[in-house]
Amino acid sequence: MRTDTLRCPPDPVMDIYASTLSPALDIGAGCYLLFVAVFSIAGNLLVLVMAVKRSSRMKPPELLSVNLALTDLGAAVTMYPLAVASAWRHRWLGGDATCVYYAVAGFFFGLASIMSLTGLAIVRFIVSLNLQSPNEKIGWRKVKLLCAWTWLYALVWAALPLLGWGRYGPEPYGLSCSLAWGQMKHEGFSFVVSMFSLNLVLPCVVIAGCYFAIAFKLYFTYRKSSGSSSKRLPNVVRRHRRLLAIAVLISLGFVVCWSPYAAVSLWSIFRDSASLPPAVSLLPCMFAKSSTVYNPLIYYIFSQSFRREVKQLWLRLGSAACGVPADD
């Protein structure tokens, strides 16, 4: 046999962008991400449309909910189409350039989301300090500055791995990119500790503390007002209790969606990431991406005004499509 005709097969270890999953699992992951992308884009666009329609009646704290919808919509539009196409091609498309782009976008929008949730919890807590006051405790200027701060904060953190503190890289299963957890065991370990402390543990503590404080405040306020003849305060308490329930569910949904991914990431840091089967590392990542779908769903289920406005919008669109003038 002539040695000059031999061709060595490519080393699979070197092809970091090839999928380590089966073709059937790749197709399933692509279909799932397509489903998440469609419902996330449609749902969050609906939240933004409703916010524009009721902008004259919107209160300052609600702007943070709009900000959260923007982060979810941004993630769905900029990330999911590339992930779907890569899954269906059985390898990551675009190489290093798109890998870094995808990882930066995921880290950026994820941080903007959790900071928006933290800001919403703090603002709701400040508003609850004096439920009897008709004046807003948080004005438009402060809320706008808080929204701008969430984006700037996320941008700074997303840029740090590009500047040498931390690192981006492909996921173990080859069809996604994120922070290169396994490669930061020694180089960039301080980044991991700082990132988890400041961007996961601390926000979760602040969110939980604010909502527990609001719950106690509403409980004691309601008990104190139950014996009074005024009906205004119990109504205010009930309204804030409904807003509290929506905010808690949104925050809880985000934390629950991202907790498995955080656990697998920590495993990759303290243990060998190769010890996890590719499918095991895939599932937490897919579950985390579903967080962008839950917020519009929670609004629709638990907010009567949002549900009513959505139905009115569909009726108007249906009437316009059929050429029938809609009733005002």
Side-chain angles (χ1 to χ4, degrees):
M1 182 180 295
R2 294 179 56 187
T3 56
D4 59 344
T5 62
L6 291 177
R7 293 292 184 268
C8 295
D11 186 356
V13 177
M14 298 302 294
D15 192 1
I16 58 175
Y17 296 122
S19 173
T20 57
L21 306 170
S22 67
L25 197 53
D26 282 342
I27 294 174
C31 292
Y32 169 80
L33 287 174
L34 180 62
F35 172 86
V36 170
V38 169
F39 278 86
S40 178
I41 292 172
N44 287 289
L45 273 178
L46 201 56
V47 171
L48 296 178
V49 169
M50 294 298 102
V52 171
K53 286 177 63 65
R54 62 189 303 269
S55 58
S56 60
R57 296 177 284 118
M58 186 183 297
K59 294 185 177 180
E62 295 178 86
L63 187 60
L64 284 162
S65 299
V66 175
N67 198 58
L68 183 62
L70 282 173
T71 64
D72 291 341
L73 181 63
V77 170
T78 61
M79 299 172 61
Y80 296 168
L82 179 59
V84 171
S86 297
W88 287 348
R89 285 291 301 273
H90 198 55
R91 66 175 294 106
W92 183 256
L93 300 178
D96 293 339
T98 57
C99 182
V100 172
Y101 156 78
Y102 189 90
V104 170
F107 193 31
F108 172 69
F109 286 114
L111 283 179
S113 294
I114 195 169
M115 288 303 139
S116 295
L117 291 171
T118 306
L120 180 61
I122 294 172
V123 168
R124 291 291 182 198
F125 171 72
I126 295 174
V127 171
S128 71
L129 291 178
N130 191 352
L131 300 177
Q132 296 174 315
S133 175
N135 299 322
E136 294 290 345
K137 295 295 181 295
I138 300 291
W140 282 106
R141 183 175 179 275
K142 292 180 180 179
V143 174
K144 289 178 180 178
L145 288 175
L146 183 58
C147 289
W149 174 83
T150 62
W151 292 102
L152 180 60
Y153 181 87
L155 181 62
V156 170
W157 271 95
L160 289 177
L162 300 176
L163 300 176
W165 194 38
R167 198 167 179 180
Y168 291 120
E171 296 280 8
Y173 55 90
L175 288 180
S176 181
C177 293
S178 181
L179 289 168
W181 304 107
Q183 300 177 30
M184 292 190 290
K185 294 179 181 180
H186 306 291
E187 297 180 4
F189 188 74
S190 60
F191 172 84
V192 173
V193 173
S194 301
M195 196 280 298
F196 268 98
S197 301
L198 298 177
N199 299 322
L200 183 62
V201 177
L202 183 59
C204 288
V205 170
V206 171
I207 291 171
C210 287
Y211 287 144
F212 272 115
I214 294 172
F216 279 114
K217 175 70 176 180
L218 294 177
Y219 173 74
F220 287 111
T221 303
Y222 188 80
R223 285 193 59 183
K224 183 178 179 181
S225 64
S226 60
S228 64
S229 58
S230 174
K231 295 183 179 180
R232 178 184 175 275
L233 191 56
N235 290 334
V236 171
V237 172
R238 279 192 287 270
R239 181 172 65 85
H240 279 273
R241 188 168 56 190
R242 185 172 63 253
L243 294 174
L244 172 64
I246 294 174
V248 167
L249 286 172
I250 291 173
S251 301
L252 188 62
F254 184 90
V255 173
V256 169
C257 285
W258 281 95
S259 293
Y261 181 78
V264 170
S265 300
L266 287 174
W267 178 276
S268 300
I269 294 170
F270 294 105
R271 299 291 183 92
D272 186 5
S273 59
S275 62
L276 292 174
V280 174
S281 60
L282 167 71
L283 292 177
C285 188
M286 297 294 103
F287 189 47
K289 286 179 170 58
S290 67
S291 64
T292 59
V293 178
Y294 295 148
N295 297 341
L297 189 61
I298 291 171
Y299 290 140
Y300 188 82
I301 294 174
F302 292 94
S303 176
Q304 295 180 357
S305 60
F306 181 75
R307 187 165 59 248
R308 183 174 59 252
E309 290 171 357
V310 169
K311 290 179 179 179
Q312 290 175 355
L313 177 63
W314 285 121
L315 288 175
R316 290 176 181 175
L317 290 176
S319 300
C322 298
V324 178
D327 295 332
D328 293 331

